[in-house]
Amino acid sequence: MFDSTLTRVGTLCLVLLLGTSFLSEAFAQNNPRGNRGRPAYGQDGQQEQAQMQQPVNQPFISGVYVGIGLNTYQGDLDSNPNDNIIKHLGAAQLDVTVGVDKRFGEFEEFGLGAHLSYDRISGQNIRNLEFTNNLLSLEFTGSYELPYIKQGLLRVFAGGGPMFVISPTYSGFPEDDPTPEAEFEELGTRVVGSIVAGVLISNKVRVGARISTTDFLDGHTGISGGGPVDLLGFITVGYRFNLMNY
């Protein structure tokens, strides 16, 4: 059941890793991070160290992220059974994300966050089964900034939370399913679970995948009746307001 899902996630991760690996190598050559945050020798270094030791009143929230981008739905009605990445991008729809985070550690390498994302998805297969959905996902994540490269370049995150499926519509679904091995269900507004993982690039570009814990985002469980769960790939471009500077 999960083989196809793992293939989809693996394909998305492969494209992501190829891009981020290229960026990491390029920045690592020109921006070594080995001693970032460490005071230099001499008087200036002593003054900087003294300032770091002084207590500072810091806000509970470290930053606020606002972004807009695209999502790619992958499921039973995505009209792309071979999971061609180009076709998925061609059918991409709106993704809007807002979130907050708290960062800690010597170099703020660790983080906890909460994001609220809106996605609109739709699909149609060769049997003219159609659906549209509005998804509102609340995600709680942990993050870690990758070391030994430019500070703030790459931060991986993972987590999960509830996904609200709002006012779905369906077209062409049979009232009485004639094929026992297939399964249709026109479900209304409801809440399901989701798992999310991805990477934040330069505190601006957020790329990842959101996996539903159910196969009923599109109202269909697959031709074989044992298909994988539905998932969304997403990429948002935005800005993180660093509240630690105020």
Side-chain angles (χ1 to χ4, degrees):
M1 172 178 178
F2 293 99
D3 290 347
S4 181
T5 299
L6 292 176
T7 301
R8 294 172 178 176
V9 176
T11 304
L12 288 173
C13 292
L14 178 61
V15 173
L16 174 62
L17 288 175
L18 287 175
T20 54
S21 296
F22 174 78
L23 289 173
S24 301
E25 182 176 355
F27 277 98
Q29 292 176 355
N30 299 318
N31 300 276
R33 184 190 179 188
N35 293 320
R36 73 165 194 175
R38 296 182 182 177
Y41 292 106
Q43 184 176 0
D44 292 340
Q46 293 175 356
Q47 291 177 351
E48 183 179 350
Q49 187 175 12
Q51 292 175 355
M52 292 175 61
Q53 293 176 350
Q54 294 178 356
V56 178
N57 292 326
Q58 297 181 347
F60 177 74
I61 296 176
S62 302
V64 177
Y65 179 84
V66 179
I68 185 169
L70 301 172
N71 74 68
T72 59
Y73 152 73
Q74 298 182 45
D76 304 301
L77 304 182
D78 60 19
S79 304
N80 188 11
N82 295 323
D83 292 326
N84 184 293
I85 295 296
I86 302 301
K87 289 184 179 180
H88 279 309
L89 292 176
Q93 297 195 54
L94 178 67
D95 177 284
V96 179
T97 300
V98 295
V100 296
D101 63 63
K102 175 64 177 178
R103 295 184 178 178
F104 49 93
E106 184 178 1
F107 305 118
E108 298 185 356
E109 64 270 33
F110 303 103
L112 297 173
H115 289 78
L116 185 65
S117 299
Y118 167 78
D119 294 276
R120 181 171 177 81
I121 63 174
S122 64
Q124 178 181 10
N125 72 354
I126 59 176
R127 298 168 63 185
N128 292 322
L129 302 177
E130 299 181 49
F131 85 102
T132 60
N133 249 340
N134 298 283
L135 306 177
L136 194 62
S137 305
L138 178 60
E139 303 161 357
F140 301 96
T141 59
S143 66
Y144 176 67
E145 184 177 323
L146 300 182
Y148 307 117
I149 56 177
K150 181 181 178 182
Q151 183 175 3
L153 177 60
L154 293 177
R155 177 178 290 267
V156 296
F157 62 86
M163 178 187 292
F164 300 86
V165 182
I166 303 171
S167 302
T169 61
Y170 307 92
S171 176
F173 279 38
E175 294 183 2
D176 297 321
D177 188 353
T179 53
E181 67 274 11
E183 187 175 348
F184 303 87
E185 190 167 353
E186 296 186 15
L187 299 176
T189 299
R190 59 198 184 278
V191 180
V192 300
S194 69
I195 301 171
V196 65
V199 63
L200 179 64
I201 306 172
S202 297
N203 286 321
K204 295 179 177 64
V205 181
R206 197 168 182 261
V207 184
R210 188 177 297 116
I211 305 174
S212 169
T213 57
T214 176
D215 190 38
F216 273 102
L217 290 186
D218 49 24
H220 193 289
T221 62
I223 300 301
S224 65
V229 294
D230 301 321
L231 66 90
L232 301 177
F234 61 86
I235 176 170
T236 59
V237 179
Y239 186 81
R240 179 180 179 270
F241 299 90
N242 187 359
L243 303 184
M244 304 297 286
N245 294 336
Y246 296 96

PDB file of all heavy atoms in Angstrom, residues 159-197:
ATOM      1  N   GLY A 159       7.223  17.286  11.012  1.00  0.00           N
ATOM      2  CA  GLY A 159       6.204  17.324  12.050  1.00  0.00           C
ATOM      3  C   GLY A 159       4.868  16.855  11.502  1.00  0.00           C
ATOM      4  O   GLY A 159       4.801  16.044  10.580  1.00  0.00           O
ATOM      5  N   GLY A 160       3.799  17.385  12.049  1.00  0.00           N
ATOM      6  CA  GLY A 160       2.463  16.998  11.613  1.00  0.00           C
ATOM      7  C   GLY A 160       1.396  17.727  12.382  1.00  0.00           C
ATOM      8  O   GLY A 160       1.688  18.605  13.215  1.00  0.00           O
ATOM      9  N   GLY A 161       0.148  17.371  12.112  1.00  0.00           N
ATOM     10  CA  GLY A 161      -0.968  18.013  12.783  1.00  0.00           C
ATOM     11  C   GLY A 161      -2.272  17.750  12.061  1.00  0.00           C
ATOM     12  O   GLY A 161      -2.331  16.962  11.097  1.00  0.00           O
ATOM     13  N   PRO A 162      -3.339  18.418  12.476  1.00  0.00           N
ATOM     14  CA  PRO A 162      -4.641  18.201  11.839  1.00  0.00           C
ATOM     15  C   PRO A 162      -4.762  18.932  10.507  1.00  0.00           C
ATOM     16  O   PRO A 162      -4.190  20.007  10.310  1.00  0.00           O
ATOM     17  CB  PRO A 162      -5.621  18.779  12.870  1.00  0.00           C
ATOM     18  CG  PRO A 162      -4.830  19.852  13.567  1.00  0.00           C
ATOM     19  CD  PRO A 162      -3.416  19.323  13.635  1.00  0.00           C
ATOM     20  N   MET A 163      -5.496  18.335   9.587  1.00  0.00           N
ATOM     21  CA  MET A 163      -5.809  18.944   8.295  1.00  0.00           C
ATOM     22  C   MET A 163      -7.328  19.020   8.163  1.00  0.00           C
ATOM     23  O   MET A 163      -8.023  18.016   8.253  1.00  0.00           O
ATOM     24  CB  MET A 163      -5.216  18.123   7.155  1.00  0.00           C
ATOM     25  CG  MET A 163      -5.535  18.671   5.765  1.00  0.00           C
ATOM     26  SD  MET A 163      -4.981  17.548   4.433  1.00  0.00           S
ATOM     27  CE  MET A 163      -3.199  17.663   4.614  1.00  0.00           C
ATOM     28  N   PHE A 164      -7.847  20.225   7.954  1.00  0.00           N
ATOM     29  CA  PHE A 164      -9.282  20.438   7.831  1.00  0.00           C
ATOM     30  C   PHE A 164      -9.656  20.400   6.340  1.00  0.00           C
ATOM     31  O   PHE A 164      -9.154  21.195   5.546  1.00  0.00           O
ATOM     32  CB  PHE A 164      -9.687  21.773   8.448  1.00  0.00           C
ATOM     33  CG  PHE A 164      -9.361  21.881   9.904  1.00  0.00           C
ATOM     34  CD1 PHE A 164      -8.102  22.302  10.315  1.00  0.00           C
ATOM     35  CD2 PHE A 164     -10.293  21.538  10.872  1.00  0.00           C
ATOM     36  CE1 PHE A 164      -7.784  22.391  11.672  1.00  0.00           C
ATOM     37  CE2 PHE A 164      -9.987  21.620  12.222  1.00  0.00           C
ATOM     38  CZ  PHE A 164      -8.733  22.044  12.620  1.00  0.00           C
ATOM     39  N   VAL A 165     -10.523  19.471   5.980  1.00  0.00           N
ATOM     40  CA  VAL A 165     -11.010  19.342   4.612  1.00  0.00           C
ATOM     41  C   VAL A 165     -12.344  20.090   4.543  1.00  0.00           C
ATOM     42  O   VAL A 165     -13.317  19.684   5.180  1.00  0.00           O
ATOM     43  CB  VAL A 165     -11.190  17.867   4.221  1.00  0.00           C
ATOM     44  CG1 VAL A 165     -11.649  17.741   2.781  1.00  0.00           C
ATOM     45  CG2 VAL A 165      -9.897  17.103   4.447  1.00  0.00           C
ATOM     46  N   ILE A 166     -12.373  21.180   3.774  1.00  0.00           N
ATOM     47  CA  ILE A 166     -13.502  22.118   3.831  1.00  0.00           C
ATOM     48  C   ILE A 166     -14.273  22.101   2.515  1.00  0.00           C
ATOM     49  O   ILE A 166     -13.707  22.317   1.436  1.00  0.00           O
ATOM     50  CB  ILE A 166     -13.007  23.538   4.128  1.00  0.00           C
ATOM     51  CG1 ILE A 166     -12.203  23.554   5.438  1.00  0.00           C
ATOM     52  CG2 ILE A 166     -14.166  24.518   4.202  1.00  0.00           C
ATOM     53  CD1 ILE A 166     -11.501  24.862   5.702  1.00  0.00           C
ATOM     54  N   SER A 167     -15.569  21.842   2.602  1.00  0.00           N
ATOM     55  CA  SER A 167     -16.519  21.957   1.486  1.00  0.00           C
ATOM     56  C   SER A 167     -16.047  21.283   0.202  1.00  0.00           C
ATOM     57  O   SER A 167     -15.943  21.927  -0.856  1.00  0.00           O
ATOM     58  CB  SER A 167     -16.828  23.440   1.207  1.00  0.00           C
ATOM     59  OG  SER A 167     -17.346  24.078   2.344  1.00  0.00           O
ATOM     60  N   PRO A 168     -15.732  19.997   0.227  1.00  0.00           N
ATOM     61  CA  PRO A 168     -15.339  19.316  -1.019  1.00  0.00           C
ATOM     62  C   PRO A 168     -16.542  19.135  -1.954  1.00  0.00           C
ATOM     63  O   PRO A 168     -17.690  19.046  -1.506  1.00  0.00           O
ATOM     64  CB  PRO A 168     -14.820  17.970  -0.522  1.00  0.00           C
ATOM     65  CG  PRO A 168     -15.564  17.736   0.758  1.00  0.00           C
ATOM     66  CD  PRO A 168     -15.754  19.095   1.378  1.00  0.00           C
ATOM     67  N   THR A 169     -16.270  19.097  -3.243  1.00  0.00           N
ATOM     68  CA  THR A 169     -17.317  18.836  -4.236  1.00  0.00           C
ATOM     69  C   THR A 169     -16.874  17.677  -5.122  1.00  0.00           C
ATOM     70  O   THR A 169     -15.683  17.474  -5.346  1.00  0.00           O
ATOM     71  CB  THR A 169     -17.586  20.072  -5.110  1.00  0.00           C
ATOM     72  OG1 THR A 169     -16.398  20.423  -5.826  1.00  0.00           O
ATOM     73  CG2 THR A 169     -18.021  21.254  -4.254  1.00  0.00           C
ATOM     74  N   TYR A 170     -17.850  16.918  -5.654  1.00  0.00           N
ATOM     75  CA  TYR A 170     -17.562  15.741  -6.456  1.00  0.00           C
ATOM     76  C   TYR A 170     -18.454  15.748  -7.703  1.00  0.00           C
ATOM     77  O   TYR A 170     -19.564  16.281  -7.692  1.00  0.00           O
ATOM     78  CB  TYR A 170     -17.830  14.460  -5.659  1.00  0.00           C
ATOM     79  CG  TYR A 170     -17.126  14.404  -4.324  1.00  0.00           C
ATOM     80  CD1 TYR A 170     -17.756  14.852  -3.164  1.00  0.00           C
ATOM     81  CD2 TYR A 170     -15.833  13.913  -4.216  1.00  0.00           C
ATOM     82  CE1 TYR A 170     -17.108  14.805  -1.931  1.00  0.00           C
ATOM     83  CE2 TYR A 170     -15.186  13.864  -3.000  1.00  0.00           C
ATOM     84  CZ  TYR A 170     -15.832  14.312  -1.863  1.00  0.00           C
ATOM     85  OH  TYR A 170     -15.190  14.266  -0.649  1.00  0.00           O
ATOM     86  N   SER A 171     -17.954  15.135  -8.775  1.00  0.00           N
ATOM     87  CA  SER A 171     -18.719  15.019 -10.012  1.00  0.00           C
ATOM     88  C   SER A 171     -18.392  13.685 -10.662  1.00  0.00           C
ATOM     89  O   SER A 171     -17.224  13.299 -10.756  1.00  0.00           O
ATOM     90  CB  SER A 171     -18.372  16.162 -10.965  1.00  0.00           C
ATOM     91  OG  SER A 171     -19.033  16.008 -12.202  1.00  0.00           O
ATOM     92  N   GLY A 172     -19.447  12.968 -11.090  1.00  0.00           N
ATOM     93  CA  GLY A 172     -19.258  11.714 -11.792  1.00  0.00           C
ATOM     94  C   GLY A 172     -19.142  10.501 -10.903  1.00  0.00           C
ATOM     95  O   GLY A 172     -18.992   9.384 -11.399  1.00  0.00           O
ATOM     96  N   PHE A 173     -19.213  10.674  -9.584  1.00  0.00           N
ATOM     97  CA  PHE A 173     -19.114   9.530  -8.681  1.00  0.00           C
ATOM     98  C   PHE A 173     -20.430   8.748  -8.720  1.00  0.00           C
ATOM     99  O   PHE A 173     -21.505   9.328  -8.573  1.00  0.00           O
ATOM    100  CB  PHE A 173     -18.856  10.005  -7.250  1.00  0.00           C
ATOM    101  CG  PHE A 173     -17.423  10.338  -6.966  1.00  0.00           C
ATOM    102  CD1 PHE A 173     -16.630  10.970  -7.915  1.00  0.00           C
ATOM    103  CD2 PHE A 173     -16.860  10.030  -5.740  1.00  0.00           C
ATOM    104  CE1 PHE A 173     -15.320  11.277  -7.660  1.00  0.00           C
ATOM    105  CE2 PHE A 173     -15.540  10.341  -5.471  1.00  0.00           C
ATOM    106  CZ  PHE A 173     -14.766  10.958  -6.431  1.00  0.00           C
ATOM    107  N   PRO A 174     -20.374   7.430  -8.929  1.00  0.00           N
ATOM    108  CA  PRO A 174     -21.608   6.636  -8.988  1.00  0.00           C
ATOM    109  C   PRO A 174     -22.263   6.531  -7.615  1.00  0.00           C
ATOM    110  O   PRO A 174     -21.583   6.448  -6.586  1.00  0.00           O
ATOM    111  CB  PRO A 174     -21.122   5.274  -9.484  1.00  0.00           C
ATOM    112  CG  PRO A 174     -19.691   5.212  -9.041  1.00  0.00           C
ATOM    113  CD  PRO A 174     -19.172   6.612  -9.130  1.00  0.00           C
ATOM    114  N   GLU A 175     -23.597   6.551  -7.635  1.00  0.00           N
ATOM    115  CA  GLU A 175     -24.314   6.390  -6.371  1.00  0.00           C
ATOM    116  C   GLU A 175     -24.119   4.989  -5.818  1.00  0.00           C
ATOM    117  O   GLU A 175     -23.950   4.788  -4.616  1.00  0.00           O
ATOM    118  CB  GLU A 175     -25.801   6.678  -6.577  1.00  0.00           C
ATOM    119  CG  GLU A 175     -26.090   8.130  -6.949  1.00  0.00           C
ATOM    120  CD  GLU A 175     -27.579   8.377  -7.071  1.00  0.00           C
ATOM    121  OE1 GLU A 175     -28.365   7.423  -6.837  1.00  0.00           O
ATOM    122  OE2 GLU A 175     -27.959   9.506  -7.403  1.00  0.00           O
ATOM    123  N   ASP A 176     -24.145   3.996  -6.696  1.00  0.00           N
ATOM    124  CA  ASP A 176     -23.885   2.608  -6.316  1.00  0.00           C
ATOM    125  C   ASP A 176     -22.644   2.145  -7.064  1.00  0.00           C
ATOM    126  O   ASP A 176     -22.665   2.010  -8.291  1.00  0.00           O
ATOM    127  CB  ASP A 176     -25.076   1.708  -6.659  1.00  0.00           C
ATOM    128  CG  ASP A 176     -26.317   2.100  -5.885  1.00  0.00           C
ATOM    129  OD1 ASP A 176     -26.175   2.451  -4.701  1.00  0.00           O
ATOM    130  OD2 ASP A 176     -27.408   2.088  -6.485  1.00  0.00           O
ATOM    131  N   ASP A 177     -21.566   1.935  -6.341  1.00  0.00           N
ATOM    132  CA  ASP A 177     -20.296   1.553  -6.959  1.00  0.00           C
ATOM    133  C   ASP A 177     -20.426   0.160  -7.592  1.00  0.00           C
ATOM    134  O   ASP A 177     -20.645  -0.821  -6.891  1.00  0.00           O
ATOM    135  CB  ASP A 177     -19.204   1.563  -5.890  1.00  0.00           C
ATOM    136  CG  ASP A 177     -17.820   1.367  -6.495  1.00  0.00           C
ATOM    137  OD1 ASP A 177     -17.741   1.102  -7.711  1.00  0.00           O
ATOM    138  OD2 ASP A 177     -16.838   1.493  -5.757  1.00  0.00           O
ATOM    139  N   PRO A 178     -20.301   0.059  -8.944  1.00  0.00           N
ATOM    140  CA  PRO A 178     -20.497  -1.250  -9.599  1.00  0.00           C
ATOM    141  C   PRO A 178     -19.295  -2.171  -9.476  1.00  0.00           C
ATOM    142  O   PRO A 178     -19.402  -3.356  -9.789  1.00  0.00           O
ATOM    143  CB  PRO A 178     -20.722  -0.856 -11.066  1.00  0.00           C
ATOM    144  CG  PRO A 178     -19.934   0.422 -11.222  1.00  0.00           C
ATOM    145  CD  PRO A 178     -20.036   1.130  -9.891  1.00  0.00           C
ATOM    146  N   THR A 179     -18.148  -1.672  -9.058  1.00  0.00           N
ATOM    147  CA  THR A 179     -16.939  -2.501  -8.986  1.00  0.00           C
ATOM    148  C   THR A 179     -16.564  -2.727  -7.531  1.00  0.00           C
ATOM    149  O   THR A 179     -16.192  -1.791  -6.821  1.00  0.00           O
ATOM    150  CB  THR A 179     -15.772  -1.827  -9.721  1.00  0.00           C
ATOM    151  OG1 THR A 179     -15.608  -0.506  -9.216  1.00  0.00           O
ATOM    152  CG2 THR A 179     -16.060  -1.735 -11.208  1.00  0.00           C
ATOM    153  N   PRO A 180     -16.650  -3.948  -7.058  1.00  0.00           N
ATOM    154  CA  PRO A 180     -16.368  -4.227  -5.644  1.00  0.00           C
ATOM    155  C   PRO A 180     -14.942  -3.853  -5.235  1.00  0.00           C
ATOM    156  O   PRO A 180     -14.698  -3.505  -4.091  1.00  0.00           O
ATOM    157  CB  PRO A 180     -16.597  -5.740  -5.533  1.00  0.00           C
ATOM    158  CG  PRO A 180     -17.463  -6.083  -6.698  1.00  0.00           C
ATOM    159  CD  PRO A 180     -17.078  -5.139  -7.790  1.00  0.00           C
ATOM    160  N   GLU A 181     -13.978  -3.958  -6.206  1.00  0.00           N
ATOM    161  CA  GLU A 181     -12.600  -3.692  -5.815  1.00  0.00           C
ATOM    162  C   GLU A 181     -12.308  -2.199  -5.698  1.00  0.00           C
ATOM    163  O   GLU A 181     -11.286  -1.809  -5.137  1.00  0.00           O
ATOM    164  CB  GLU A 181     -11.645  -4.329  -6.832  1.00  0.00           C
ATOM    165  CG  GLU A 181     -11.672  -3.718  -8.231  1.00  0.00           C
ATOM    166  CD  GLU A 181     -12.761  -4.323  -9.101  1.00  0.00           C
ATOM    167  OE1 GLU A 181     -13.600  -5.061  -8.527  1.00  0.00           O
ATOM    168  OE2 GLU A 181     -12.774  -4.084 -10.312  1.00  0.00           O
ATOM    169  N   ALA A 182     -13.143  -1.339  -6.268  1.00  0.00           N
ATOM    170  CA  ALA A 182     -12.963   0.110  -6.150  1.00  0.00           C
ATOM    171  C   ALA A 182     -13.852   0.632  -5.029  1.00  0.00           C
ATOM    172  O   ALA A 182     -14.809  -0.010  -4.609  1.00  0.00           O
ATOM    173  CB  ALA A 182     -13.283   0.804  -7.467  1.00  0.00           C
ATOM    174  N   GLU A 183     -13.554   1.819  -4.566  1.00  0.00           N
ATOM    175  CA  GLU A 183     -14.335   2.359  -3.460  1.00  0.00           C
ATOM    176  C   GLU A 183     -14.431   3.868  -3.593  1.00  0.00           C
ATOM    177  O   GLU A 183     -13.427   4.563  -3.707  1.00  0.00           O
ATOM    178  CB  GLU A 183     -13.679   1.996  -2.119  1.00  0.00           C
ATOM    179  CG  GLU A 183     -14.522   2.388  -0.921  1.00  0.00           C
ATOM    180  CD  GLU A 183     -13.907   1.905   0.382  1.00  0.00           C
ATOM    181  OE1 GLU A 183     -12.975   1.094   0.316  1.00  0.00           O
ATOM    182  OE2 GLU A 183     -14.369   2.358   1.434  1.00  0.00           O
ATOM    183  N   PHE A 184     -15.656   4.389  -3.612  1.00  0.00           N
ATOM    184  CA  PHE A 184     -15.909   5.815  -3.690  1.00  0.00           C
ATOM    185  C   PHE A 184     -16.648   6.252  -2.426  1.00  0.00           C
ATOM    186  O   PHE A 184     -17.430   5.504  -1.870  1.00  0.00           O
ATOM    187  CB  PHE A 184     -16.797   6.150  -4.902  1.00  0.00           C
ATOM    188  CG  PHE A 184     -16.235   5.696  -6.218  1.00  0.00           C
ATOM    189  CD1 PHE A 184     -16.474   4.409  -6.681  1.00  0.00           C
ATOM    190  CD2 PHE A 184     -15.478   6.544  -6.990  1.00  0.00           C
ATOM    191  CE1 PHE A 184     -15.965   3.984  -7.899  1.00  0.00           C
ATOM    192  CE2 PHE A 184     -14.967   6.125  -8.217  1.00  0.00           C
ATOM    193  CZ  PHE A 184     -15.217   4.847  -8.666  1.00  0.00           C
ATOM    194  N   GLU A 185     -16.388   7.464  -2.022  1.00  0.00           N
ATOM    195  CA  GLU A 185     -17.120   7.978  -0.874  1.00  0.00           C
ATOM    196  C   GLU A 185     -17.098   9.497  -0.915  1.00  0.00           C
ATOM    197  O   GLU A 185     -16.037  10.109  -0.841  1.00  0.00           O
ATOM    198  CB  GLU A 185     -16.512   7.477   0.441  1.00  0.00           C
ATOM    199  CG  GLU A 185     -17.385   7.793   1.636  1.00  0.00           C
ATOM    200  CD  GLU A 185     -16.940   7.038   2.883  1.00  0.00           C
ATOM    201  OE1 GLU A 185     -16.050   6.184   2.764  1.00  0.00           O
ATOM    202  OE2 GLU A 185     -17.487   7.319   3.956  1.00  0.00           O
ATOM    203  N   GLU A 186     -18.280  10.095  -1.073  1.00  0.00           N
ATOM    204  CA  GLU A 186     -18.397  11.543  -1.129  1.00  0.00           C
ATOM    205  C   GLU A 186     -18.507  12.082   0.300  1.00  0.00           C
ATOM    206  O   GLU A 186     -19.598  12.309   0.815  1.00  0.00           O
ATOM    207  CB  GLU A 186     -19.596  11.959  -1.975  1.00  0.00           C
ATOM    208  CG  GLU A 186     -19.484  11.546  -3.431  1.00  0.00           C
ATOM    209  CD  GLU A 186     -20.610  12.099  -4.283  1.00  0.00           C
ATOM    210  OE1 GLU A 186     -21.306  13.016  -3.807  1.00  0.00           O
ATOM    211  OE2 GLU A 186     -20.808  11.617  -5.404  1.00  0.00           O
ATOM    212  N   LEU A 187     -17.375  12.300   0.924  1.00  0.00           N
ATOM    213  CA  LEU A 187     -17.352  12.795   2.295  1.00  0.00           C
ATOM    214  C   LEU A 187     -17.416  14.318   2.304  1.00  0.00           C
ATOM    215  O   LEU A 187     -16.907  14.988   1.401  1.00  0.00           O
ATOM    216  CB  LEU A 187     -16.076  12.327   2.993  1.00  0.00           C
ATOM    217  CG  LEU A 187     -15.902  10.810   3.118  1.00  0.00           C
ATOM    218  CD1 LEU A 187     -14.551  10.488   3.733  1.00  0.00           C
ATOM    219  CD2 LEU A 187     -17.021  10.212   3.945  1.00  0.00           C
ATOM    220  N   GLY A 188     -17.998  14.860   3.344  1.00  0.00           N
ATOM    221  CA  GLY A 188     -18.121  16.310   3.470  1.00  0.00           C
ATOM    222  C   GLY A 188     -16.973  16.909   4.270  1.00  0.00           C
ATOM    223  O   GLY A 188     -15.878  16.344   4.365  1.00  0.00           O
ATOM    224  N   THR A 189     -17.228  18.061   4.864  1.00  0.00           N
ATOM    225  CA  THR A 189     -16.225  18.743   5.682  1.00  0.00           C
ATOM    226  C   THR A 189     -15.824  17.854   6.852  1.00  0.00           C
ATOM    227  O   THR A 189     -16.668  17.287   7.540  1.00  0.00           O
ATOM    228  CB  THR A 189     -16.782  20.081   6.196  1.00  0.00           C
ATOM    229  OG1 THR A 189     -17.096  20.913   5.069  1.00  0.00           O
ATOM    230  CG2 THR A 189     -15.778  20.795   7.080  1.00  0.00           C
ATOM    231  N   ARG A 190     -14.501  17.737   7.099  1.00  0.00           N
ATOM    232  CA  ARG A 190     -14.018  16.813   8.120  1.00  0.00           C
ATOM    233  C   ARG A 190     -12.578  17.171   8.496  1.00  0.00           C
ATOM    234  O   ARG A 190     -11.976  18.068   7.907  1.00  0.00           O
ATOM    235  CB  ARG A 190     -14.085  15.373   7.611  1.00  0.00           C
ATOM    236  CG  ARG A 190     -13.253  15.137   6.348  1.00  0.00           C
ATOM    237  CD  ARG A 190     -13.671  13.879   5.630  1.00  0.00           C
ATOM    238  NE  ARG A 190     -12.836  13.560   4.476  1.00  0.00           N
ATOM    239  CZ  ARG A 190     -12.973  14.095   3.285  1.00  0.00           C
ATOM    240  NH1 ARG A 190     -13.923  14.994   3.078  1.00  0.00           N
ATOM    241  NH2 ARG A 190     -12.180  13.745   2.280  1.00  0.00           N
ATOM    242  N   VAL A 191     -12.047  16.423   9.452  1.00  0.00           N
ATOM    243  CA  VAL A 191     -10.665  16.628   9.903  1.00  0.00           C
ATOM    244  C   VAL A 191      -9.914  15.309   9.756  1.00  0.00           C
ATOM    245  O   VAL A 191     -10.398  14.255  10.168  1.00  0.00           O
ATOM    246  CB  VAL A 191     -10.612  17.095  11.375  1.00  0.00           C
ATOM    247  CG1 VAL A 191      -9.163  17.291  11.814  1.00  0.00           C
ATOM    248  CG2 VAL A 191     -11.403  18.380  11.561  1.00  0.00           C
ATOM    249  N   VAL A 192      -8.713  15.377   9.143  1.00  0.00           N
ATOM    250  CA  VAL A 192      -7.842  14.212   9.025  1.00  0.00           C
ATOM    251  C   VAL A 192      -6.460  14.608   9.543  1.00  0.00           C
ATOM    252  O   VAL A 192      -6.206  15.768   9.853  1.00  0.00           O
ATOM    253  CB  VAL A 192      -7.746  13.716   7.566  1.00  0.00           C
ATOM    254  CG1 VAL A 192      -9.125  13.320   7.050  1.00  0.00           C
ATOM    255  CG2 VAL A 192      -7.135  14.787   6.662  1.00  0.00           C
ATOM    256  N   GLY A 193      -5.571  13.648   9.637  1.00  0.00           N
ATOM    257  CA  GLY A 193      -4.211  13.937  10.078  1.00  0.00           C
ATOM    258  C   GLY A 193      -3.275  14.118   8.894  1.00  0.00           C
ATOM    259  O   GLY A 193      -3.569  13.682   7.776  1.00  0.00           O
ATOM    260  N   SER A 194      -2.145  14.772   9.131  1.00  0.00           N
ATOM    261  CA  SER A 194      -1.140  14.920   8.078  1.00  0.00           C
ATOM    262  C   SER A 194       0.250  14.918   8.687  1.00  0.00           C
ATOM    263  O   SER A 194       0.445  15.302   9.841  1.00  0.00           O
ATOM    264  CB  SER A 194      -1.363  16.210   7.279  1.00  0.00           C
ATOM    265  OG  SER A 194      -1.083  17.353   8.071  1.00  0.00           O
ATOM    266  N   ILE A 195       1.212  14.479   7.894  1.00  0.00           N
ATOM    267  CA  ILE A 195       2.628  14.482   8.254  1.00  0.00           C
ATOM    268  C   ILE A 195       3.349  15.359   7.245  1.00  0.00           C
ATOM    269  O   ILE A 195       3.106  15.270   6.035  1.00  0.00           O
ATOM    270  CB  ILE A 195       3.205  13.054   8.228  1.00  0.00           C
ATOM    271  CG1 ILE A 195       2.435  12.153   9.201  1.00  0.00           C
ATOM    272  CG2 ILE A 195       4.694  13.058   8.554  1.00  0.00           C
ATOM    273  CD1 ILE A 195       2.797  10.680   9.080  1.00  0.00           C
ATOM    274  N   VAL A 196       4.233  16.233   7.723  1.00  0.00           N
ATOM    275  CA  VAL A 196       4.909  17.176   6.831  1.00  0.00           C
ATOM    276  C   VAL A 196       6.416  17.106   7.046  1.00  0.00           C
ATOM    277  O   VAL A 196       6.888  16.851   8.160  1.00  0.00           O
ATOM    278  CB  VAL A 196       4.393  18.618   7.066  1.00  0.00           C
ATOM    279  CG1 VAL A 196       4.747  19.108   8.461  1.00  0.00           C
ATOM    280  CG2 VAL A 196       4.936  19.576   6.012  1.00  0.00           C
ATOM    281  N   ALA A 197       7.178  17.287   5.971  1.00  0.00           N
ATOM    282  CA  ALA A 197       8.639  17.331   6.047  1.00  0.00           C
ATOM    283  C   ALA A 197       9.150  18.154   4.880  1.00  0.00           C
ATOM    284  O   ALA A 197       8.542  18.184   3.805  1.00  0.00           O
ATOM    285  CB  ALA A 197       9.245  15.929   6.023  1.00  0.00           C
TER     286      ALA A 197
END
